[in-house]
Amino acid sequence: MNNQPVLQKTPDSEQFSAPEIAGVYRAIRERRDMRHFHSQPIEAEQLLRFIQAAHQGPSVGYMQPWRFIRITDIELRKQIHQHVNDERLLTAQALGERTNEFMRLKVEGILACAELLVVGLADKREDYVFGRRTMPEMDLASASCAIQNFWLAARAEGIGVGWVSMFDPAQIRTLCAMPEGSQPIALLCVGHVEKFYPAPMLEVEGWDTRRLLSDIVFENAWESSKLP
C-alpha cells in the first residue's frame, strides 16, 4: 500500500504570483541581442548564476550537450575578434546589393564586453539517440534553449548579452583547443550596457521587421487557416 500523502491542489496552485508572471514576460519582451557594452567587470557570482540558469535548460533525452568556455586570455580574445571580423567581410560580400547596408551595422562587441564565452556542443553526441534518431539536430535545439535561459537571466539582472555567430566553427574549435567532434555554436558577449535597445537592433536599423502572429500561426495544415 502506498502511504505517501496525497497533495490536494487547486488548479492554479502551481501558478506564479502576478508580479512574478509579469517579470517573466517582461524579461522575454525586453531581451535584446546587444552589441554596445561597457568594459566594467561583472561579478563572478553573477556570471555563474547565468550559466547555472543555462544549465537548467531543457534538453532532449537529458543529454545536456552545452559546454561553456570563458575567455580570459586577452590575446585569444583578440584572435577571436579578428576571425569574426574576417567573417564579417565575407558575409558582406555574400549579401550582394545589401553589402553597404550591412557594413553600417555593428555586429559584435567582443573587445568591449566584460566577459566573452564560447558555447559549444560536446563531443560524442552520437551516443545520445533518445529523441534524436530522426532529428539529430535536437542537440543544437537543446543548447539554444540553454542560451535563451542565460539571456533571460542576464536581462532580468540588467546585464546585456550578444550572440555572435559569424565564425567558422573549425577555426574557433582550433583556437579554443576543443576536442574533435565538438561544435562551437555561439560567442556570447556579456556585460554592462548604457541602455537596452527599445526594439531589436536590426529592427531599429531597418534591416527587417517582426512578423505578425497571423503570418506564423496556422491550424491543422500549413497556411490553411491563419489567425484573424
Side-chain angles (χ1 to χ4, degrees), residues 8-57:
Q8 300 296 326
K9 298 181 180 179
T10 59
D12 62 351
S13 64
E14 296 295 324
Q15 182 172 300
F16 292 2
S17 68
E20 289 171 333
I21 294 171
V24 170
Y25 279 100
R26 181 185 175 192
I28 293 170
R29 185 175 63 252
E30 298 184 9
R31 180 207 57 81
R32 296 288 180 263
D33 193 1
M34 299 302 296
R35 301 302 188 215
H36 300 81
F37 295 91
H38 295 311
S39 58
Q40 174 188 350
I42 63 175
E43 295 183 2
E45 294 81 2
Q46 191 172 36
L47 180 62
L48 187 60
R49 284 198 297 273
F50 303 158
I51 295 175
Q52 181 64 42
H55 192 43
Q56 290 171 334

Side-chain angles (χ1 to χ4, degrees), residues 50-51 53-68 118-122 125 132 136-151 163 183-186 188:
F50 303 158
I51 295 175
H55 192 43
Q56 290 171 334
S59 64
V60 171
Y62 208 45
M63 70 180 299
Q64 304 164 74
W66 44 75
R67 300 293 185 270
F68 293 82
V118 175
V119 185
L121 299 176
R125 301 188 305 286
R132 299 178 63 241
E137 65 275 13
M138 293 309 290
D139 54 2
L140 176 59
S142 298
S144 297
C145 288
I147 292 173
Q148 180 77 330
N149 272 15
F150 185 107
W151 226 332
W163 181 339
Q183 177 77 6
I185 61 169
L188 295 186

Side-chain angles (χ1 to χ4, degrees), residues 42-125:
I42 63 175
E43 295 183 2
E45 294 81 2
Q46 191 172 36
L47 180 62
L48 187 60
R49 284 198 297 273
F50 303 158
I51 295 175
Q52 181 64 42
H55 192 43
Q56 290 171 334
S59 64
V60 171
Y62 208 45
M63 70 180 299
Q64 304 164 74
W66 44 75
R67 300 293 185 270
F68 293 82
I69 304 173
R70 183 187 181 198
I71 305 301
T72 58
D73 184 325
I74 187 60
E75 292 304 318
L76 178 56
R77 189 191 282 225
K78 288 178 180 178
Q79 287 180 292
I80 292 173
H81 176 262
Q82 182 59 59
H83 172 63
V84 169
N85 191 59
D86 292 342
E87 179 57 33
R88 172 176 173 261
L89 297 176
L90 292 173
T91 299
Q93 294 174 15
L95 283 170
E97 63 182 20
R98 300 198 78 178
T99 293
N100 291 336
E101 185 181 358
F102 171 77
M103 288 300 291
R104 289 193 292 270
L105 298 173
K106 184 171 177 58
V107 296
E108 50 81 18
I110 292 173
L111 295 182
C113 62
E115 297 281 350
L116 178 65
L117 300 176
V118 175
V119 185
L121 299 176
D123 58 334
K124 301 179 182 179
R125 301 188 305 286

